[in-house]
Amino acid sequence: MAYSEKVIDHYENPRNVGAFDKNDPSIATGMVGAPACGDVMKLQLKINDNGIIEDAKFKTYGCGSAIASSSLVTEWVKGKSIEEAAQLKNTQIAEELALPPVKIHCSILAEDAIKAAIEDYKKKHAN
Amino acid sequence: MNHFELFDLPAAFNLDAADLQQRYRKLQQTLHPDRFANGSQRDKLLAVQRTAQLNDAYQTLRNPLLRAEYILQLRGLDLAHEQTTLQDPEFLMAQMEWRERIAELNDWEEIDAALRDLAVESRDLQSELEQQINAEQNEAAANSIRKLKFMLKLEHELEEKSE
């Protein structure tokens, strides 16, 4: 299958690969997996006291599209508020990377990773 | 006619693989092309179609994971075409660790040890799945199937490593 240029670019030069300390209160961690293909994605957001995402890192085990989707998302969410990041839709990711229909689930995975991370942050700051 | 009915078996997870194979061979013989050598074009076509259906049913039922998925499908839960994500942090963290371990495997011994560990984990999950299916805990069973798909992926990755 032919990957789009943007997918190849993110795949060959993934942005923001790595990890933060998940026990740090300012760090939100989202873990998601796609049963259909066995891909696993970890997305971490560094969120300041004003609810702005200052930094993001990811680690993904999966195909090129899954890696590109998570790499793209780390770029997109930086500087956004939690609320803005939560609005990100998988269709935007799929469109930007020109994902074919069989790879749409990779963009869904990335969207769900953001949501899972925000959920984790809210749980951490429930009190 | 569903796959179980085709083999005249109850729609249960527990299944004797040797018995299934025997039933498969018997049915296969009744559909053998030689038996239709003098038959009409329509009979030949039908036999080909039935053979394809039989093979499909056999491949589905002999594989525990596919069999479980098929039972849930009969109960109205379609997992084959779902695009939902799994959000079980503990399980996914273990998956990440598995992937890291696989990436760092150097020699046969390490690959072998990993395959053994993986087999143990998969077997535990599979016996859980078996209980859930028998107890008609369909949602829980669906989750176990999803997890087993990740384990299967790990197995493929390990097999690729050992080639």
Side-chain angles (χ1 to χ4, degrees):
Chain A
M1 180 182 35
Y3 282 121
S4 71
E5 264 175 50
K6 278 175 180 164
V7 170
I8 292 168
D9 178 36
H10 275 279
Y11 181 68
E12 288 179 345
N13 313 291
R15 281 54 142 187
N16 310 307
V17 174
F20 297 118
D21 174 11
K22 69 173 167 39
N23 296 316
D24 181 331
S26 69
I27 300 301
T29 304
M31 296 270 304
V32 288
C37 53
D39 290 358
V40 196
M41 188 180 288
K42 180 168 84 174
L43 176 71
Q44 292 188 301
L45 310 174
K46 187 175 171 54
I47 299 167
N48 71 16
D49 293 340
N50 300 319
I52 303 296
I53 298 165
E54 286 185 335
D55 204 355
K57 287 199 186 298
F58 84 94
K59 184 144 199 191
T60 294
Y61 286 100
C63 65
S65 302
I67 289 166
S69 295
S70 33
S71 170
L72 175 70
V73 155
T74 57
E75 282 193 322
W76 274 2
V77 296
K78 271 193 215 179
K80 285 197 164 70
S81 69
I82 303 176
E83 291 76 18
E84 285 168 335
Q87 299 297 318
L88 250 169
K89 289 274 170 296
N90 82 285
T91 46
Q92 294 166 272
I93 300 165
E95 197 177 320
E96 172 71 16
L97 296 174
L99 296 181
V102 293
K103 291 292 176 184
I104 296 299
H105 66 270
C106 298
S107 62
I108 296 176
L109 204 59
E111 180 192 324
D112 286 352
I114 302 174
K115 296 205 165 109
I118 292 173
E119 204 54 42
D120 178 58
Y121 186 76
K122 285 183 177 161
K123 240 185 245 167
K124 268 187 175 173
H125 295 264
N127 306 314
Chain B
M1 198 186 289
N2 75 39
H3 292 347
F4 287 102
E5 288 164 354
L6 188 64
F7 289 103
D8 196 20
L9 285 167
F13 184 71
N14 304 55
L15 176 150
D16 179 352
D19 174 52
L20 178 69
Q21 194 183 38
Q22 243 174 18
R23 288 166 190 260
Y24 170 65
R25 292 220 171 113
K26 238 181 238 169
L27 286 167
Q28 214 180 15
Q29 277 164 14
T30 66
L31 294 170
H32 196 276
D34 288 353
R35 297 177 69 109
F36 299 91
N38 300 318
S40 69
Q41 205 55 35
R42 189 175 167 277
D43 285 346
K44 282 181 195 167
L45 196 68
L46 262 174
V48 170
Q49 278 173 357
R50 289 209 177 115
T51 303
Q53 190 198 359
L54 178 68
N55 289 340
D56 186 30
Y58 181 58
Q59 297 307 331
T60 303
L61 295 193
R62 71 193 287 231
N63 176 316
L65 196 54
L66 292 177
R67 181 164 73 239
E69 206 170 295
Y70 185 68
I71 292 172
L72 288 189
Q73 194 191 320
L74 291 178
R75 292 180 186 174
L77 227 104
D78 188 4
L79 291 179
H81 306 101
E82 69 173 5
Q83 295 212 327
T84 51
T85 51
L86 184 81
Q87 302 198 8
D88 180 332
E90 205 181 316
F91 177 79
L92 292 168
M93 202 60 91
Q95 281 292 307
M96 280 273 173
E97 280 163 14
W98 259 114
R99 294 297 191 107
E100 277 156 21
R101 178 174 170 185
I102 292 172
E104 284 162 14
L105 292 174
N106 299 311
D107 54 39
W108 284 99
E109 253 173 69
E110 285 180 11
I111 293 175
D112 220 40
L115 274 168
R116 274 199 304 273
D117 289 348
L118 188 67
V120 171
E121 283 187 32
S122 296
R123 204 164 48 224
D124 288 349
L125 262 172
Q126 202 170 306
S127 60
E128 238 175 84
L129 169 64
E130 190 177 328
Q131 286 168 14
Q132 288 156 345
I133 285 192
N134 291 342
E136 306 232 0
Q137 293 165 344
N138 297 339
E139 283 298 334
N143 242 342
S144 294
I145 292 175
R146 292 182 189 115
K147 286 180 181 176
L148 276 163
K149 285 186 180 175
F150 284 95
M151 305 311 276
L152 203 63
K153 172 77 178 180
L154 292 177
E155 213 179 294
H156 289 320
E157 297 266 317
L158 273 171
E159 274 162 11
E160 259 173 44
K161 272 262 174 185
S162 55
E163 266 159 20

